[in-house]
Amino acid sequence: MEQQKSNHLSTFNFDMKKFLLKSFYFIVILSSILEVTTRLVIDPVYFYSINPYLSPSALTHFKPEDLLIPEPEHIDLLFIGSSRVAASIEEEVFETNTSLKAINTGRGFFTGGTHYLALQEMIEKNPEFLSGTKVFIELPGGVIYPRDSAIAMYDVYEGSTHFLLPHISFKDVRHFWESRNSFKEKKELTLQFFFSSYRTYPFIREYKSRMYNRILSRFKEPVKENLSTDGGIKTESFDLAKETAINVAKRQIENQRKAKSIKIRELDKSIIASFNRLVRNHGGELILFEVPLHSIQKEAYSTPFAKKNKAVFRQWADQNNVKIVSTNDFIVNDKDFPDYWHLNKEKKLEFSRHLLDKL
Amino acid sequence: MLFNSFQFLVFLPVVFLLYGLLQTKKQQNIFILLSSYFFYGWWDWRFLSLIILSSCIDYWSAKKMQETNAPSARSGFLALSMIGNLGMLGFFKYFNFFSSSLQQALDSINVSYTPLALNIILPVGISFYTFQTMSYTIDVYKKRIQPTKDPIAFFTYVAFFPQLVAGPIERAHRLLPQFEKKRTFDYSTAISGAKLILWGFFKKLVIADNCAVLVNAIFINYPDKGSPELVLGSVFFAFQIYCDFSGYSDIAIGISRLFNISLMKNFDYPYFSKSMGEFWRRWHISLNTWFRDYLYIPLGGSRGTKLFVIRNIFIVFVTSGLWHGANWTFVIWGVLNAIYFLPSLFKKNQSNVEPNIFFSKATNFFRVVFTFSLTCIAWIFFRSATIEDALGYFTGILSLTPSENLSKYFFMLVTIVLFMLLEWKGRKKECPIDYPIKNTFLKYLYYSMFVYIIIFFGATEEQSFIYFQF
């Protein structure tokens, strides 16, 4: 009878409850320690490093002393854009020749929306931030999406949700769920926003690799410079870089085929118009400028569709007193783009001087 | 489904919790069986037909063997089981190999032959479950065990998911009775299992997968590498394969313990062996004892003339090589190990495995280093894609050309040294990281440290377990 009874008892006995409870405690303690440590120790460095408005070089050349300047300084020249801007503008050229404070916030995988949120956040924290500042934005190339800026400001590139983190609040997370991003990106941003250990995990691993390299370089065998450390595409293979550049250009041309031509009045609601309002309302001036392009990208930006869009855009800029600085006369060759995308260091200095002369 | 995948992270807790709700042995076995088929079918559901077919053949053959006393009929049923299992294994694993080898052989005597090459996918873990199920029919034939009357228990024995694709290769007399009775959860068994799981993941993700990145780079570009780098490549591979496979075994044993199922030990700190004979008693124990019981002893074992014993040793090691893969590199690996093994065979007063007296003399240390070096030489054949590559690799080592930028291997070497120290310190225990800490919080902290190391220092790319391909 006893035997029969025990045969019909579930495996879920006292021991199993104890095991599950202990496993739960273990996971809670493990995650809590991780979460508290990353919040206290890693977060400040992390947020600082992914915010180009505080430290444009932190992501690639972070030093602990960078943290000693936590408040934003007033700046005179602010460059905004993609990694092409990061690779084309040397702040020192402007600072030494004009004694004006310049900052280059160009960063790969930053959308216009992310830049807008970042700038807005800087102004909220320091209202004088833009007073008298000339804000330079990379002239849009192929497709110019006339999207409502209220939605477009939450647009992110795949796998780049973390760039939004320093500039958003809980309210923005809610808006992000209404944006056009994929479910994966929405889930990522939410987890990154709420869990420090989740957002800082890849950062710690990347930082660990850098520390390895730094230690190894002390063995008198310097780490070989590569495309990645030069701030280029995240690959060390030139073939892969070329393939990526070609594929992106193809995708841009494909997107142009699908997109509708913009109308001038649609641009009033776009992110660029929001930038213009934000900058002007806070005493600054918006200037658009062309960055040097590799022939692969130039081709994508020179299709009849792109040319037509650009013409409409120039019209809009004229009507809204937004200056466009043309740099067409800057002589550049494909070999000046080692990763088929970004200018090399020598040309970066040359282009910065060229742009300065134009202003 | 890989153990180191997100899917498995969901699968295991769900299976474990649901299993806890079951009340009878039958329910437990049906649930484990369905979960195992789900686990296996995750790779390719078509593979399921093979495992089900193999289980059916062996269950039926063993049952029929029991029902008859006629030796010829019993032999017939055994032959049916052997043909069924080895036929499947031979077709899926060796067809293309033998076909292309035949072509090469005929080419050498100027006979034209176009090999029939079939586009065959090798089912994951076929070598493991085939051997496991074959051991059942052989044992029934030899009357070592009685055939089971419970088909569900037998099918669960063949397909039990923790050890289905890469072992340990269990014997029916050990594992089957565990499925023939109801299991109740045992706290201390589950805790010891959880520790083994942690240690297994540590070995797999921190050591094996990090070594894999370096090993792949060295073996693919071996003509451009200097001698020191090539030597390091073989050492890293020795640790990659050890940590990969023993890591898998530890995870498998650990997971089984959560279900209160005991699996056999598969590795016993093999790199602390002082001779090749000892190495083979500590490496892949479940396979080596299988070959001992089902091939070496039936061949005559060590009874007979020296030449006869040498023949048996070579047959076992060459078969073991072929079991690992359908490639001549594995055959050479087997031959090399047979040669290495011979001195142990004829040495009188063989030392037993006594890990606590290791390194008591300096000579022991050198014997361990020497044994490890021999295994590294053999591993080069195991890892190389072709014999030409392996010979090229050796030529590279012997060329004594210098290597540039060796410092990139510094961290991996430090990690391996720390790992070996950890194993050395815990060599008397089943799980070297198992330390009795009374304070609960400190205990959690101690084991958390290994989780953090896995999270932050483990390789990020999901690498399959090497032995899945066998």
Side-chain angles (χ1 to χ4, degrees), chain A residues 7-46:
Chain A
N7 276 345
H8 284 85
L9 283 174
S10 81
T11 319
F12 196 83
N13 54 18
F14 175 75
D15 268 3
M16 193 166 176
K17 277 180 204 159
K18 190 172 145 194
F19 179 77
L20 288 175
L21 210 61
K22 289 217 171 187
S23 303
F24 176 73
Y25 289 151
F26 178 68
I27 291 166
V28 167
I29 289 177
L30 186 140
S31 329
S32 306
I33 294 172
L34 191 63
E35 186 66 17
V36 170
T37 314
T38 54
R39 242 168 227 280
L40 294 176
V41 183
I42 313 295
D43 260 353
V45 183
Y46 176 72

Side-chain angles (χ1 to χ4, degrees), chain B residues 133-147:
Chain B
T133 184
M134 266 164 53
S135 77
Y136 169 75
T137 40
I138 297 171
D139 283 352
V140 170
Y141 176 77
K142 296 266 183 191
K143 297 188 176 172
R144 287 181 195 135
I145 56 167
Q146 290 291 311

Side-chain angles (χ1 to χ4, degrees), chain A residues 7 9 12 22 30 205 221, chain B residues 20 23 182 405 452 455 458:
Chain A
N7 276 345
L9 283 174
F12 196 83
K22 289 217 171 187
L30 186 140
R205 291 188 65 102
E221 287 187 51
Chain B
Q23 295 188 341
K182 189 193 165 192
N405 203 7
Y452 297 141
I455 292 173

Side-chain angles (χ1 to χ4, degrees), chain B residues 17-170:
Chain B
L17 289 174
L18 292 177
Y19 181 79
L21 302 175
L22 305 173
Q23 295 188 341
T24 62
K25 175 199 84 180
K26 198 174 177 184
Q27 288 174 353
Q28 286 180 332
N29 285 348
I30 289 174
F31 181 70
I32 291 268
L33 180 64
L34 293 176
S35 305
S36 299
Y37 283 165
F38 178 81
F39 171 86
Y40 193 60
W42 192 266
W43 272 285
D44 191 330
W45 61 269
R46 288 171 300 176
F47 293 166
L48 280 175
S49 56
L50 290 177
I51 196 168
I52 292 170
L53 180 67
S54 176
S55 306
C56 287
I57 292 172
D58 289 320
Y59 179 76
W60 186 80
S61 304
K63 196 166 171 271
K64 288 287 167 194
M65 266 185 233
Q66 174 74 359
E67 285 168 10
T68 177
N69 278 326
S72 59
R74 287 175 64 82
S75 302
F77 290 121
L78 178 69
L80 174 75
S81 162
M82 296 295 108
I83 292 166
N85 285 301
L86 294 176
M88 273 195 294
L89 189 62
F91 176 75
F92 284 97
K93 193 163 177 172
Y94 301 106
F95 183 85
N96 284 339
F97 169 67
F98 285 120
S99 181
S100 63
S101 295
L102 178 67
Q103 185 207 15
Q104 283 169 9
L106 292 174
D107 273 356
S108 65
I109 52 166
N110 293 326
V111 177
S112 170
Y113 166 69
T114 310
L116 178 62
L118 300 178
N119 187 19
I120 302 168
I121 308 167
L122 179 67
V124 183
I126 189 168
S127 308
F128 286 91
Y129 69 75
T130 305
F131 269 41
Q132 181 157 313
T133 184
M134 266 164 53
S135 77
Y136 169 75
T137 40
I138 297 171
D139 283 352
V140 170
Y141 176 77
K142 296 266 183 191
K143 297 188 176 172
R144 287 181 195 135
I145 56 167
Q146 290 291 311
T148 179
K149 288 172 185 159
D150 183 349
I152 304 291
F154 178 74
F155 277 56
T156 314
Y157 153 76
V158 177
F160 186 44
F161 74 87
Q163 47 91 243
L164 170 62
V165 287
I169 302 167
E170 277 294 344

